[in-house]
Amino acid sequence: MIVFDLHCLDSGETFEAWFRSSADYEDQKAAGLVQCPFCDSSRVAKAPMAPRVPRKSSGAALAKIAAMQAEALKDSRWVGDRFAETARAMHSGEIAPEQVHGQATLAEARSLAEDGVPVAPLPLPVVPPGEVN
Ligand SMILES: [Zn+2]
């Protein structure tokens, strides 16, 4: 499998697409099967190869992770340093389960994991939202 950076001539988007081979890409392209995932246009072309600048690409990757995290936390409630006790109370059924995020020490996180409480570290630190109550 090979991956090409493709560029849509209609929407201007750049996206990645996988093909079995370069010839496979040419075949699919000729048959109009290579389409832009943003606007379904088949007027796509291989994007000019850009030199991969580490600092730039890691910045873009970080922005992507930050966006994904923001999306994941959109419906999540910030519980600050009460994260460990809140997660534990939900796990034991004391309180209704909901999506929460907050701060936990490494020891707390390890203890939760040992007790089978499903928690996951966030890829990026979260800035506590102002004053809570
Ligand atoms: Zn497009």
Side-chain angles (χ1 to χ4, degrees):
M1 299 287 283
I2 54 173
V3 62
F4 285 133
D5 282 337
L6 300 180
H7 179 73
C8 173
L9 300 179
D10 287 321
S11 65
E13 299 282 355
T14 300
F15 55 96
E16 288 185 346
W18 289 86
F19 300 93
R20 281 194 299 274
S21 64
S22 192
D24 184 44
Y25 162 76
E26 297 297 342
D27 286 350
Q28 290 196 36
K29 177 86 170 64
L33 297 175
V34 183
Q35 291 184 326
C36 168
F38 299 94
C39 71
D40 291 337
S41 167
S42 56
R43 299 205 317 134
V44 297
K46 278 188 213 173
M49 284 302 184
R52 305 239 172 207
V53 182
R55 191 187 301 164
K56 195 177 171 188
S57 67
S58 71
L62 205 60
K64 202 169 178 179
I65 292 170
M68 282 170 56
Q69 179 166 304
E71 181 65 24
L73 296 181
K74 206 175 54 176
D75 301 319
S76 178
R77 187 164 64 88
W78 171 257
V79 294
D81 58 9
R82 297 192 312 277
F83 178 77
E85 61 177 276
T86 305
R88 202 176 284 281
M90 285 192 295
H91 185 65
S92 66
E94 282 171 52
I95 60 174
E98 64 173 321
Q99 199 186 336
V100 298
H101 63 291
Q103 296 161 325
T105 64
L106 190 60
E108 284 173 338
R110 193 172 290 152
S111 164
L112 287 169
E114 279 168 5
D115 294 344
V117 180
V119 296
L122 290 168
L124 299 173
V126 175
V127 179
E131 299 295 316
V132 180
N133 297 330

